[in-house]
Amino acid sequence: MTSESQEHGASRRPVKDEVDVVAEDTEKPAKGGKKDKKGSFWKELPVLVVVALVLALIIKTFVIQAFYIPSESMENTLLKNDRVLVNKMVYHTRDIERGDVVVFSGVDSWDGEFEMEEPSNPVAAFFRWVGTAFGVVPGEKDYIKRVIGVGGDHVKCCDPKGRITVNGVAIDEGGYLYPGNVPSDKFFDIKVPEGRLWVMGDHRSVSLDSRSHQGDPGGGSIPVGQVVGRAFVIVWPFNRATTLPIPDTFAQPALQALGGSVPLVAGFAGALPLVLIRRRRRSRRP
């Protein structure tokens, strides 16, 4: 008896052997592929880390930055060692408002509220810079305070009830003032220059704020251009995570009707004579 393979003069291997050969041939490349993938991952990891750091620095520089709270000057709104996020874009879309909690630079002006030792070597200096950039360590010349008065405001302490007044309107600071503190233990009466801000810490008895710099240029006020951004949320520790809204007392209509509307009123006042002169000239024409 002859088979088809015998007729062609060749023997045929069992089907089982064919399956084993195929499995063996395809298994080896699969193992090699896994090794290639692992090797590729470790080669790409440094690039991914660098890209992530660059993106984080871009976001930190132009959009949002984390800041470390190094002192008690804003208690109990902000506690020492809290971390907050600061919006750097918000003041490109609106003006700084009374009641905002802002971070600003005190370089070449205010003395620090705390002292930091200088890094002992370049490596330590680099890691401090990285830590400051990402809100892990405090910046020696960065301050965080609450805006009480903006350019054009008349800020005064105090009325007969011991309250600070802004443009003659008393503000109720009970919602954020440190328990047991008075609004101010120092007298001040200032017309905030245009383009500047009067700022104070919520823990008034320990805060070295505008009141402590009345002998400086600007009478203790800070330049708007030194403001880094608005602190809008506490992110660390998690059990204190919350937003930082503007207190309701700064929404008083009598307060808002002044200050911010002064430039607009001045603009109308300056434009009115021009309109009248133009009308008179037209009426004299034949």
Side-chain angles (χ1 to χ4, degrees):
M1 182 176 178
T2 60
S3 64
E4 182 179 355
S5 60
Q6 289 175 334
E7 292 177 357
H8 288 82
S11 63
R12 183 174 180 83
R13 296 175 62 186
V15 175
K16 181 179 179 181
D17 290 344
E18 290 185 356
V19 174
D20 289 342
V21 171
V22 172
E24 184 178 354
D25 290 343
T26 56
E27 188 176 357
K28 289 181 180 179
K31 289 182 179 180
K34 288 181 179 179
K35 290 181 180 179
D36 292 341
K37 288 180 179 179
K38 288 182 179 179
S40 176
F41 171 77
W42 290 112
K43 290 178 181 178
E44 293 176 357
L45 182 60
V47 177
L48 293 174
V49 171
V50 171
V51 171
L53 286 174
V54 170
L55 290 176
L57 286 173
I58 291 174
I59 292 171
K60 168 255 176 187
T61 302
F62 299 105
V63 185
I64 291 177
Q65 183 176 355
F67 278 88
Y68 175 100
I69 307 302
S71 73
E72 299 87 1
S73 69
M74 280 295 291
E75 291 180 340
N76 278 331
T77 304
L78 301 172
L79 303 183
K80 187 176 180 179
N81 299 324
D82 280 355
R83 272 75 164 179
V84 298
L85 291 184
V86 172
N87 186 335
K88 292 186 169 185
M89 296 292 292
V90 63
Y91 297 134
H92 293 285
T93 59
R94 72 165 174 86
D95 293 332
I96 299 173
E97 296 181 7
R98 307 175 192 90
D100 278 347
V101 176
V102 297
V103 170
F104 61 95
S105 172
V107 173
D108 298 327
S109 57
W110 289 15
D111 294 329
E113 293 180 320
F114 66 100
E115 294 184 0
M116 291 181 63
E117 294 184 3
E118 290 296 325
S120 57
N121 56 69
V123 175
F126 171 77
F127 281 108
R128 177 193 278 188
W129 176 82
V130 173
T132 301
F134 292 98
V136 179
V137 298
E140 189 174 5
K141 285 294 185 177
D142 291 329
Y143 299 81
I144 185 163
K145 304 292 180 188
R146 189 180 300 276
V147 177
I148 303 298
V150 298
D153 282 346
H154 180 199
V155 186
K156 182 178 180 180
C157 176
C158 290
D159 71 357
K161 294 184 178 180
R163 300 171 299 182
I164 291 175
T165 62
V166 180
N167 300 323
V169 180
I171 55 175
D172 179 8
E173 301 188 278
Y176 57 82
L177 205 61
Y178 186 81
N181 278 190
V182 295
S184 180
D185 55 4
K186 297 178 182 179
F187 173 82
F188 57 87
D189 187 347
I190 182 173
K191 178 71 174 295
V192 183
E194 292 295 338
R196 302 182 74 91
L197 306 167
W198 182 268
V199 296
M200 301 175 72
D202 291 353
H203 194 171
R204 299 287 160 79
S205 63
V206 302
S207 178
L208 300 177
D209 48 40
S210 288
R211 298 168 299 163
S212 302
H213 296 272
Q214 295 184 65
D216 296 350
S221 61
I222 64 165
V224 169
Q226 293 290 85
V227 173
V228 176
R230 176 177 180 253
F232 67 98
V233 65
I234 301 173
V235 293
W236 182 264
F238 290 135
N239 61 349
R240 283 184 38 76
T242 186
T243 58
L244 299 170
I246 297 177
D248 292 340
T249 189
F250 292 99
Q252 298 179 73
L255 190 64
Q256 299 298 327
L258 300 167
S261 63
V262 170
L264 182 61
V265 173
F268 278 113
L272 185 58
L274 296 176
V275 174
L276 293 176
I277 292 172
R278 187 176 180 183
R279 285 186 176 181
R280 286 182 181 179
R281 288 180 176 178
R282 285 184 176 180
S283 63
R284 289 177 182 176
R285 291 177 184 178

